[in-house]
Amino acid sequence: MLVLMSSTTTARPGVSPSLSEAPVSAARVAALTGLIRSTTGESRTTRTPFTDQALAEVPVSSLDDVDAAFDAARVAQVRWAGTAVRDRASMLIRLHDLVLAHQGELMDLIQLESGKTRKHAYDEVLHLALTARYYGRRLRHLAGSSRKVGVFPLITQVTVHHVPKGVVGIISPWNYPLTMALADGIPAIAAGNVVVQKPDSQSPLTALAALELLRKAGAPTDVWQMVSGAGSVVGTAIVQQADYICFTGSTATGTGIAKLAAERLVGYSLELGGKNPMIVLPGADVEKAAEGAVGACFSSAGQLCVSIERLYVHDSLYDDFRDAFVRRVSSMSLGASLDWDVDMGSLVSASQLETVTKHVDDAVANGATVVTGGRARPDLGPYFFEPTVLEDVTPAAECFAEETFGPLVSLYRYGSVEEAVELANAGEYGLNASLFGPVPLAKRLAPRIKAGTVNINEGFAATFGSVDAPMGGMRTSGTGRRQGDEGFYRYTETQSVGVQRLVPVAGPAAIPAKPYAAVLTFLLRVLRRTTVRR
Ligand code: NAD
């Protein structure tokens, strides 16, 4: 199915419903790309994966542009950190409203830059709005200072503050071009930091449209700046200057960034790859598990860090689950549509198509069977690939342990729950896991799964959508957490301020050290017998 213009397509300001002409108007491209800090006069053409048609000429930033962004950011940060918490919170609530009000154009841009379906683009709108509202509402609590027990009750007063780190560098990927661009930085600016960001070169327009909304919501220009260019050049320059780095991308790039950050002893959070397992437990409802697995494996064509790529099914259910799952997967609709009528969209690029094709061919060469799918679909667009289910995948196959990051899942049988836990925990990654089946059993098993998020009777959305809950990876899937309180405090330094009154902690000058030590020892013994916390 190829639907580039449908009868239900409504008028979109700046975006043409037909890909036969420029999909985004020149005026809109100019307005958005004008937000990039760039003085080079050079540009790079971006293309939509739906048709490989040109989308925009995007200015490239130089190393001088990155330096200028950091200079401006450092000045802006001092002023920004001095603004009232309630004003920053109101700005985030306004952002929530603006994201919902402009969702049409945001979804168009997400789809055009990533090739995903409308419903998967909407997931991003939802996640960004939820994140803005969550931190907007919770900011007073998070940013507030707290009193601690002093070394001498009443005489020593200690208060703990959460002070901003300074300039946060954010490097984001193409697969969730809206929410990965903005959601991570929301708690950063809420805490009084400012941001210098490099969105992925594939998806700058979506990130820029989000930046435009943030500025409309009230963020001053230098509080969030965007630069553009190659990760190895512009990304590295950000990593070399930022006071904290928030990176989302591959484990290989994240490892290099961690090394650079370690040389400067600056903090970082890394959201990296995964080879996420789902276990269908004995007693699971096969139809519900199969339905859940479709969403878990093929959302955004599997180009999702928390996507399921390994499916372990108990012997007693295997045949029924396989039939129910394959029936659903083989009837999924594929296409390039800006409407809500398609189940799965395109891969993002030629290199993604190459990886998926290679993983399928290599698995088959090593003994695997293609149960459904397994083919590229150039008839639909240059990078389409069918949702694919494999069986009999052997450890020799690349896709056995390596992340595919595409619409490819392998089915495996298991005999005992112990074996399933061991299989799920195999490998290097530890991002997300899913358990389908009786909730009490799944809850007992969850703590034994080595993954930062475990979803019961859901693929990934129960945790990813719950923005009050921290989300991130164990093992080589990353370090640090986005979302929740941890997603905020990563951008702050904890500072303790102690006030001493009446006598110094070392004792009054008039009392010699030995009797003072005896008094302190006596006091410690007394306090030990009381309910006073010290
Ligand atoms: P990538 O690491 O190649 O690129 C990600 C970003 O890093 C891009 O903006 C890129 O320009 C930049 N970059 C590249 N090299 C850089 C360098 N040397 N220094 C600084 N920045 C650099 O990743 P990708 O292949 O584009 O994205 C897919 C990967 O991202 C997958 O492995 C996926 O699992 C992971 N991912 C993880 C999450 C998560 O939340 N855990 C979310 C999305 C994607």
Side-chain angles (χ1 to χ4, degrees), residues 130-149:
L130 281 170
T131 305
R133 191 192 66 187
Y134 171 74
Y135 284 111
R137 289 206 175 151
R138 195 155 169 74
L139 187 57
R140 260 186 63 194
H141 167 82
L142 290 169
S145 302
S146 54
R147 289 284 291 275
K148 300 289 169 192
V149 179

mmCIF file with all atom_site columns, all heavy atoms in Angstrom, residues 130-149:
data_model
loop_
_atom_site.group_PDB
_atom_site.id
_atom_site.type_symbol
_atom_site.label_atom_id
_atom_site.label_alt_id
_atom_site.label_comp_id
_atom_site.label_asym_id
_atom_site.label_entity_id
_atom_site.label_seq_id
_atom_site.pdbx_PDB_ins_code
_atom_site.Cartn_x
_atom_site.Cartn_y
_atom_site.Cartn_z
_atom_site.occupancy
_atom_site.B_iso_or_equiv
_atom_site.pdbx_formal_charge
_atom_site.auth_seq_id
_atom_site.auth_comp_id
_atom_site.auth_asym_id
_atom_site.auth_atom_id
_atom_site.pdbx_PDB_model_num
ATOM 1   N N   . LEU A 1 130 ? 3.535  14.737 28.082 1.00 0.00 ? 130 LEU A N   1
ATOM 2   C CA  . LEU A 1 130 ? 3.524  14.164 29.442 1.00 0.00 ? 130 LEU A CA  1
ATOM 3   C C   . LEU A 1 130 ? 4.760  14.608 30.229 1.00 0.00 ? 130 LEU A C   1
ATOM 4   O O   . LEU A 1 130 ? 4.675  14.946 31.417 1.00 0.00 ? 130 LEU A O   1
ATOM 5   C CB  . LEU A 1 130 ? 3.525  12.631 29.370 1.00 0.00 ? 130 LEU A CB  1
ATOM 6   C CG  . LEU A 1 130 ? 2.196  11.946 29.070 1.00 0.00 ? 130 LEU A CG  1
ATOM 7   C CD1 . LEU A 1 130 ? 2.418  10.458 28.797 1.00 0.00 ? 130 LEU A CD1 1
ATOM 8   C CD2 . LEU A 1 130 ? 1.239  12.118 30.246 1.00 0.00 ? 130 LEU A CD2 1
ATOM 9   N N   . THR A 1 131 ? 5.908  14.618 29.558 1.00 0.00 ? 131 THR A N   1
ATOM 10  C CA  . THR A 1 131 ? 7.160  14.988 30.226 1.00 0.00 ? 131 THR A CA  1
ATOM 11  C C   . THR A 1 131 ? 7.126  16.456 30.657 1.00 0.00 ? 131 THR A C   1
ATOM 12  O O   . THR A 1 131 ? 7.513  16.799 31.784 1.00 0.00 ? 131 THR A O   1
ATOM 13  C CB  . THR A 1 131 ? 8.366  14.728 29.298 1.00 0.00 ? 131 THR A CB  1
ATOM 14  O OG1 . THR A 1 131 ? 8.323  13.370 28.888 1.00 0.00 ? 131 THR A OG1 1
ATOM 15  C CG2 . THR A 1 131 ? 9.686  15.005 29.993 1.00 0.00 ? 131 THR A CG2 1
ATOM 16  N N   . ALA A 1 132 ? 6.636  17.326 29.745 1.00 0.00 ? 132 ALA A N   1
ATOM 17  C CA  . ALA A 1 132 ? 6.578  18.761 30.066 1.00 0.00 ? 132 ALA A CA  1
ATOM 18  C C   . ALA A 1 132 ? 5.637  18.993 31.259 1.00 0.00 ? 132 ALA A C   1
ATOM 19  O O   . ALA A 1 132 ? 5.958  19.735 32.192 1.00 0.00 ? 132 ALA A O   1
ATOM 20  C CB  . ALA A 1 132 ? 6.110  19.554 28.845 1.00 0.00 ? 132 ALA A CB  1
ATOM 21  N N   . ARG A 1 133 ? 4.487  18.333 31.234 1.00 0.00 ? 133 ARG A N   1
ATOM 22  C CA  . ARG A 1 133 ? 3.521  18.528 32.328 1.00 0.00 ? 133 ARG A CA  1
ATOM 23  C C   . ARG A 1 133 ? 4.068  17.972 33.641 1.00 0.00 ? 133 ARG A C   1
ATOM 24  O O   . ARG A 1 133 ? 3.968  18.591 34.698 1.00 0.00 ? 133 ARG A O   1
ATOM 25  C CB  . ARG A 1 133 ? 2.206  17.815 31.988 1.00 0.00 ? 133 ARG A CB  1
ATOM 26  C CG  . ARG A 1 133 ? 1.078  18.181 32.935 1.00 0.00 ? 133 ARG A CG  1
ATOM 27  C CD  . ARG A 1 133 ? -0.105 17.272 32.769 1.00 0.00 ? 133 ARG A CD  1
ATOM 28  N NE  . ARG A 1 133 ? 0.218  15.916 33.175 1.00 0.00 ? 133 ARG A NE  1
ATOM 29  C CZ  . ARG A 1 133 ? -0.593 14.875 33.003 1.00 0.00 ? 133 ARG A CZ  1
ATOM 30  N NH1 . ARG A 1 133 ? -1.739 15.015 32.396 1.00 0.00 ? 133 ARG A NH1 1
ATOM 31  N NH2 . ARG A 1 133 ? -0.244 13.668 33.424 1.00 0.00 ? 133 ARG A NH2 1
ATOM 32  N N   . TYR A 1 134 ? 4.696  16.801 33.568 1.00 0.00 ? 134 TYR A N   1
ATOM 33  C CA  . TYR A 1 134 ? 5.220  16.160 34.784 1.00 0.00 ? 134 TYR A CA  1
ATOM 34  C C   . TYR A 1 134 ? 6.241  17.057 35.485 1.00 0.00 ? 134 TYR A C   1
ATOM 35  O O   . TYR A 1 134 ? 6.125  17.336 36.683 1.00 0.00 ? 134 TYR A O   1
ATOM 36  C CB  . TYR A 1 134 ? 5.848  14.811 34.409 1.00 0.00 ? 134 TYR A CB  1
ATOM 37  C CG  . TYR A 1 134 ? 6.605  14.181 35.556 1.00 0.00 ? 134 TYR A CG  1
ATOM 38  C CD1 . TYR A 1 134 ? 5.928  13.599 36.618 1.00 0.00 ? 134 TYR A CD1 1
ATOM 39  C CD2 . TYR A 1 134 ? 7.996  14.202 35.586 1.00 0.00 ? 134 TYR A CD2 1
ATOM 40  C CE1 . TYR A 1 134 ? 6.617  13.040 37.679 1.00 0.00 ? 134 TYR A CE1 1
ATOM 41  C CE2 . TYR A 1 134 ? 8.693  13.647 36.641 1.00 0.00 ? 134 TYR A CE2 1
ATOM 42  C CZ  . TYR A 1 134 ? 8.004  13.070 37.684 1.00 0.00 ? 134 TYR A CZ  1
ATOM 43  O OH  . TYR A 1 134 ? 8.687  12.536 38.737 1.00 0.00 ? 134 TYR A OH  1
ATOM 44  N N   . TYR A 1 135 ? 7.243  17.523 34.719 1.00 0.00 ? 135 TYR A N   1
ATOM 45  C CA  . TYR A 1 135 ? 8.269  18.348 35.372 1.00 0.00 ? 135 TYR A CA  1
ATOM 46  C C   . TYR A 1 135 ? 7.716  19.728 35.722 1.00 0.00 ? 135 TYR A C   1
ATOM 47  O O   . TYR A 1 135 ? 8.132  20.331 36.713 1.00 0.00 ? 135 TYR A O   1
ATOM 48  C CB  . TYR A 1 135 ? 9.535  18.426 34.516 1.00 0.00 ? 135 TYR A CB  1
ATOM 49  C CG  . TYR A 1 135 ? 10.342 17.142 34.596 1.00 0.00 ? 135 TYR A CG  1
ATOM 50  C CD1 . TYR A 1 135 ? 10.462 16.287 33.517 1.00 0.00 ? 135 TYR A CD1 1
ATOM 51  C CD2 . TYR A 1 135 ? 10.954 16.763 35.792 1.00 0.00 ? 135 TYR A CD2 1
ATOM 52  C CE1 . TYR A 1 135 ? 11.178 15.097 33.600 1.00 0.00 ? 135 TYR A CE1 1
ATOM 53  C CE2 . TYR A 1 135 ? 11.671 15.568 35.888 1.00 0.00 ? 135 TYR A CE2 1
ATOM 54  C CZ  . TYR A 1 135 ? 11.777 14.752 34.791 1.00 0.00 ? 135 TYR A CZ  1
ATOM 55  O OH  . TYR A 1 135 ? 12.485 13.576 34.906 1.00 0.00 ? 135 TYR A OH  1
ATOM 56  N N   . GLY A 1 136 ? 6.761  20.228 34.912 1.00 0.00 ? 136 GLY A N   1
ATOM 57  C CA  . GLY A 1 136 ? 6.122  21.508 35.252 1.00 0.00 ? 136 GLY A CA  1
ATOM 58  C C   . GLY A 1 136 ? 5.431  21.432 36.609 1.00 0.00 ? 136 GLY A C   1
ATOM 59  O O   . GLY A 1 136 ? 5.543  22.339 37.440 1.00 0.00 ? 136 GLY A O   1
ATOM 60  N N   . ARG A 1 137 ? 4.746  20.321 36.831 1.00 0.00 ? 137 ARG A N   1
ATOM 61  C CA  . ARG A 1 137 ? 4.004  20.183 38.092 1.00 0.00 ? 137 ARG A CA  1
ATOM 62  C C   . ARG A 1 137 ? 4.898  19.805 39.271 1.00 0.00 ? 137 ARG A C   1
ATOM 63  O O   . ARG A 1 137 ? 4.590  20.123 40.404 1.00 0.00 ? 137 ARG A O   1
ATOM 64  C CB  . ARG A 1 137 ? 2.929  19.104 37.934 1.00 0.00 ? 137 ARG A CB  1
ATOM 65  C CG  . ARG A 1 137 ? 1.807  19.563 37.028 1.00 0.00 ? 137 ARG A CG  1
ATOM 66  C CD  . ARG A 1 137 ? 0.561  18.828 37.375 1.00 0.00 ? 137 ARG A CD  1
ATOM 67  N NE  . ARG A 1 137 ? -0.560 19.330 36.593 1.00 0.00 ? 137 ARG A NE  1
ATOM 68  C CZ  . ARG A 1 137 ? -1.600 18.594 36.251 1.00 0.00 ? 137 ARG A CZ  1
ATOM 69  N NH1 . ARG A 1 137 ? -1.649 17.331 36.623 1.00 0.00 ? 137 ARG A NH1 1
ATOM 70  N NH2 . ARG A 1 137 ? -2.576 19.118 35.570 1.00 0.00 ? 137 ARG A NH2 1
ATOM 71  N N   . ARG A 1 138 ? 5.972  19.091 38.988 1.00 0.00 ? 138 ARG A N   1
ATOM 72  C CA  . ARG A 1 138 ? 6.772  18.535 40.088 1.00 0.00 ? 138 ARG A CA  1
ATOM 73  C C   . ARG A 1 138 ? 7.971  19.421 40.450 1.00 0.00 ? 138 ARG A C   1
ATOM 74  O O   . ARG A 1 138 ? 8.689  19.159 41.413 1.00 0.00 ? 138 ARG A O   1
ATOM 75  C CB  . ARG A 1 138 ? 7.255  17.152 39.650 1.00 0.00 ? 138 ARG A CB  1
ATOM 76  C CG  . ARG A 1 138 ? 7.785  16.321 40.791 1.00 0.00 ? 138 ARG A CG  1
ATOM 77  C CD  . ARG A 1 138 ? 7.709  14.844 40.540 1.00 0.00 ? 138 ARG A CD  1
ATOM 78  N NE  . ARG A 1 138 ? 8.460  14.115 41.559 1.00 0.00 ? 138 ARG A NE  1
ATOM 79  C CZ  . ARG A 1 138 ? 8.058  13.955 42.803 1.00 0.00 ? 138 ARG A CZ  1
ATOM 80  N NH1 . ARG A 1 138 ? 6.901  14.448 43.207 1.00 0.00 ? 138 ARG A NH1 1
ATOM 81  N NH2 . ARG A 1 138 ? 8.819  13.298 43.677 1.00 0.00 ? 138 ARG A NH2 1
ATOM 82  N N   . LEU A 1 139 ? 8.171  20.482 39.654 1.00 0.00 ? 139 LEU A N   1
ATOM 83  C CA  . LEU A 1 139 ? 9.413  21.238 39.799 1.00 0.00 ? 139 LEU A CA  1
ATOM 84  C C   . LEU A 1 139 ? 9.603  21.830 41.194 1.00 0.00 ? 139 LEU A C   1
ATOM 85  O O   . LEU A 1 139 ? 10.712 21.779 41.751 1.00 0.00 ? 139 LEU A O   1
ATOM 86  C CB  . LEU A 1 139 ? 9.492  22.337 38.730 1.00 0.00 ? 139 LEU A CB  1
ATOM 87  C CG  . LEU A 1 139 ? 10.821 23.083 38.680 1.00 0.00 ? 139 LEU A CG  1
ATOM 88  C CD1 . LEU A 1 139 ? 11.974 22.110 38.464 1.00 0.00 ? 139 LEU A CD1 1
ATOM 89  C CD2 . LEU A 1 139 ? 10.814 24.120 37.555 1.00 0.00 ? 139 LEU A CD2 1
ATOM 90  N N   . ARG A 1 140 ? 8.529  22.362 41.762 1.00 0.00 ? 140 ARG A N   1
ATOM 91  C CA  . ARG A 1 140 ? 8.680  22.978 43.094 1.00 0.00 ? 140 ARG A CA  1
ATOM 92  C C   . ARG A 1 140 ? 9.225  21.975 44.103 1.00 0.00 ? 140 ARG A C   1
ATOM 93  O O   . ARG A 1 140 ? 10.095 22.276 44.907 1.00 0.00 ? 140 ARG A O   1
ATOM 94  C CB  . ARG A 1 140 ? 7.333  23.516 43.577 1.00 0.00 ? 140 ARG A CB  1
ATOM 95  C CG  . ARG A 1 140 ? 7.245  25.018 43.346 1.00 0.00 ? 140 ARG A CG  1
ATOM 96  C CD  . ARG A 1 140 ? 6.013  25.605 43.940 1.00 0.00 ? 140 ARG A CD  1
ATOM 97  N NE  . ARG A 1 140 ? 5.960  25.466 45.388 1.00 0.00 ? 140 ARG A NE  1
ATOM 98  C CZ  . ARG A 1 140 ? 4.863  25.660 46.114 1.00 0.00 ? 140 ARG A CZ  1
ATOM 99  N NH1 . ARG A 1 140 ? 3.742  25.994 45.530 1.00 0.00 ? 140 ARG A NH1 1
ATOM 100 N NH2 . ARG A 1 140 ? 4.884  25.535 47.419 1.00 0.00 ? 140 ARG A NH2 1
ATOM 101 N N   . HIS A 1 141 ? 8.709  20.759 44.038 1.00 0.00 ? 141 HIS A N   1
ATOM 102 C CA  . HIS A 1 141 ? 9.172  19.722 44.957 1.00 0.00 ? 141 HIS A CA  1
ATOM 103 C C   . HIS A 1 141 ? 10.632 19.338 44.654 1.00 0.00 ? 141 HIS A C   1
ATOM 104 O O   . HIS A 1 141 ? 11.466 19.260 45.561 1.00 0.00 ? 141 HIS A O   1
ATOM 105 C CB  . HIS A 1 141 ? 8.264  18.497 44.833 1.00 0.00 ? 141 HIS A CB  1
ATOM 106 C CG  . HIS A 1 141 ? 8.819  17.274 45.483 1.00 0.00 ? 141 HIS A CG  1
ATOM 107 N ND1 . HIS A 1 141 ? 8.700  17.050 46.837 1.00 0.00 ? 141 HIS A ND1 1
ATOM 108 C CD2 . HIS A 1 141 ? 9.542  16.238 44.978 1.00 0.00 ? 141 HIS A CD2 1
ATOM 109 C CE1 . HIS A 1 141 ? 9.309  15.908 47.130 1.00 0.00 ? 141 HIS A CE1 1
ATOM 110 N NE2 . HIS A 1 141 ? 9.833  15.404 46.028 1.00 0.00 ? 141 HIS A NE2 1
ATOM 111 N N   . LEU A 1 142 ? 10.943 19.149 43.363 1.00 0.00 ? 142 LEU A N   1
ATOM 112 C CA  . LEU A 1 142 ? 12.285 18.673 43.000 1.00 0.00 ? 142 LEU A CA  1
ATOM 113 C C   . LEU A 1 142 ? 13.355 19.730 43.295 1.00 0.00 ? 142 LEU A C   1
ATOM 114 O O   . LEU A 1 142 ? 14.454 19.407 43.763 1.00 0.00 ? 142 LEU A O   1
ATOM 115 C CB  . LEU A 1 142 ? 12.334 18.325 41.503 1.00 0.00 ? 142 LEU A CB  1
ATOM 116 C CG  . LEU A 1 142 ? 11.541 17.094 41.081 1.00 0.00 ? 142 LEU A CG  1
ATOM 117 C CD1 . LEU A 1 142 ? 11.444 17.025 39.563 1.00 0.00 ? 142 LEU A CD1 1
ATOM 118 C CD2 . LEU A 1 142 ? 12.209 15.832 41.618 1.00 0.00 ? 142 LEU A CD2 1
ATOM 119 N N   . ALA A 1 143 ? 13.036 20.983 42.991 1.00 0.00 ? 143 ALA A N   1
ATOM 120 C CA  . ALA A 1 143 ? 14.048 22.041 43.110 1.00 0.00 ? 143 ALA A CA  1
ATOM 121 C C   . ALA A 1 143 ? 14.171 22.544 44.547 1.00 0.00 ? 143 ALA A C   1
ATOM 122 O O   . ALA A 1 143 ? 15.112 23.272 44.877 1.00 0.00 ? 143 ALA A O   1
ATOM 123 C CB  . ALA A 1 143 ? 13.692 23.204 42.190 1.00 0.00 ? 143 ALA A CB  1
ATOM 124 N N   . GLY A 1 144 ? 13.256 22.132 45.396 1.00 0.00 ? 144 GLY A N   1
ATOM 125 C CA  . GLY A 1 144 ? 13.254 22.646 46.763 1.00 0.00 ? 144 GLY A CA  1
ATOM 126 C C   . GLY A 1 144 ? 14.446 22.166 47.578 1.00 0.00 ? 144 GLY A C   1
ATOM 127 O O   . GLY A 1 144 ? 15.007 21.101 47.336 1.00 0.00 ? 144 GLY A O   1
ATOM 128 N N   . SER A 1 145 ? 14.850 22.985 48.550 1.00 0.00 ? 145 SER A N   1
ATOM 129 C CA  . SER A 1 145 ? 15.956 22.622 49.437 1.00 0.00 ? 145 SER A CA  1
ATOM 130 C C   . SER A 1 145 ? 15.391 21.849 50.623 1.00 0.00 ? 145 SER A C   1
ATOM 131 O O   . SER A 1 145 ? 14.216 21.964 50.952 1.00 0.00 ? 145 SER A O   1
ATOM 132 C CB  . SER A 1 145 ? 16.652 23.888 49.931 1.00 0.00 ? 145 SER A CB  1
ATOM 133 O OG  . SER A 1 145 ? 17.096 24.624 48.805 1.00 0.00 ? 145 SER A OG  1
ATOM 134 N N   . SER A 1 146 ? 16.253 21.063 51.288 1.00 0.00 ? 146 SER A N   1
ATOM 135 C CA  . SER A 1 146 ? 15.766 20.304 52.454 1.00 0.00 ? 146 SER A CA  1
ATOM 136 C C   . SER A 1 146 ? 16.715 20.472 53.645 1.00 0.00 ? 146 SER A C   1
ATOM 137 O O   . SER A 1 146 ? 17.932 20.563 53.471 1.00 0.00 ? 146 SER A O   1
ATOM 138 C CB  . SER A 1 146 ? 15.614 18.832 52.095 1.00 0.00 ? 146 SER A CB  1
ATOM 139 O OG  . SER A 1 146 ? 16.824 18.352 51.555 1.00 0.00 ? 146 SER A OG  1
ATOM 140 N N   . ARG A 1 147 ? 16.129 20.553 54.846 1.00 0.00 ? 147 ARG A N   1
ATOM 141 C CA  . ARG A 1 147 ? 16.916 20.672 56.078 1.00 0.00 ? 147 ARG A CA  1
ATOM 142 C C   . ARG A 1 147 ? 17.414 19.288 56.491 1.00 0.00 ? 147 ARG A C   1
ATOM 143 O O   . ARG A 1 147 ? 16.697 18.306 56.391 1.00 0.00 ? 147 ARG A O   1
ATOM 144 C CB  . ARG A 1 147 ? 16.031 21.247 57.198 1.00 0.00 ? 147 ARG A CB  1
ATOM 145 C CG  . ARG A 1 147 ? 15.696 22.723 57.014 1.00 0.00 ? 147 ARG A CG  1
ATOM 146 C CD  . ARG A 1 147 ? 16.877 23.621 57.368 1.00 0.00 ? 147 ARG A CD  1
ATOM 147 N NE  . ARG A 1 147 ? 17.168 23.598 58.796 1.00 0.00 ? 147 ARG A NE  1
ATOM 148 C CZ  . ARG A 1 147 ? 16.560 24.356 59.690 1.00 0.00 ? 147 ARG A CZ  1
ATOM 149 N NH1 . ARG A 1 147 ? 15.627 25.220 59.309 1.00 0.00 ? 147 ARG A NH1 1
ATOM 150 N NH2 . ARG A 1 147 ? 16.874 24.286 60.975 1.00 0.00 ? 147 ARG A NH2 1
ATOM 151 N N   . LYS A 1 148 ? 18.661 19.215 56.971 1.00 0.00 ? 148 LYS A N   1
ATOM 152 C CA  . LYS A 1 148 ? 19.233 17.946 57.438 1.00 0.00 ? 148 LYS A CA  1
ATOM 153 C C   . LYS A 1 148 ? 19.623 18.087 58.903 1.00 0.00 ? 148 LYS A C   1
ATOM 154 O O   . LYS A 1 148 ? 19.729 19.210 59.425 1.00 0.00 ? 148 LYS A O   1
ATOM 155 C CB  . LYS A 1 148 ? 20.478 17.584 56.607 1.00 0.00 ? 148 LYS A CB  1
ATOM 156 C CG  . LYS A 1 148 ? 20.187 17.413 55.138 1.00 0.00 ? 148 LYS A CG  1
ATOM 157 C CD  . LYS A 1 148 ? 19.378 16.149 54.868 1.00 0.00 ? 148 LYS A CD  1
ATOM 158 C CE  . LYS A 1 148 ? 18.857 16.114 53.453 1.00 0.00 ? 148 LYS A CE  1
ATOM 159 N NZ  . LYS A 1 148 ? 17.861 15.081 53.211 1.00 0.00 ? 148 LYS A NZ  1
ATOM 160 N N   . VAL A 1 149 ? 19.867 16.946 59.532 1.00 0.00 ? 149 VAL A N   1
ATOM 161 C CA  . VAL A 1 149 ? 20.248 16.980 60.938 1.00 0.00 ? 149 VAL A CA  1
ATOM 162 C C   . VAL A 1 149 ? 21.699 17.444 61.043 1.00 0.00 ? 149 VAL A C   1
ATOM 163 O O   . VAL A 1 149 ? 22.585 16.883 60.390 1.00 0.00 ? 149 VAL A O   1
ATOM 164 C CB  . VAL A 1 149 ? 20.107 15.574 61.560 1.00 0.00 ? 149 VAL A CB  1
ATOM 165 C CG1 . VAL A 1 149 ? 20.528 15.585 63.021 1.00 0.00 ? 149 VAL A CG1 1
ATOM 166 C CG2 . VAL A 1 149 ? 18.686 15.080 61.406 1.00 0.00 ? 149 VAL A CG2 1
#
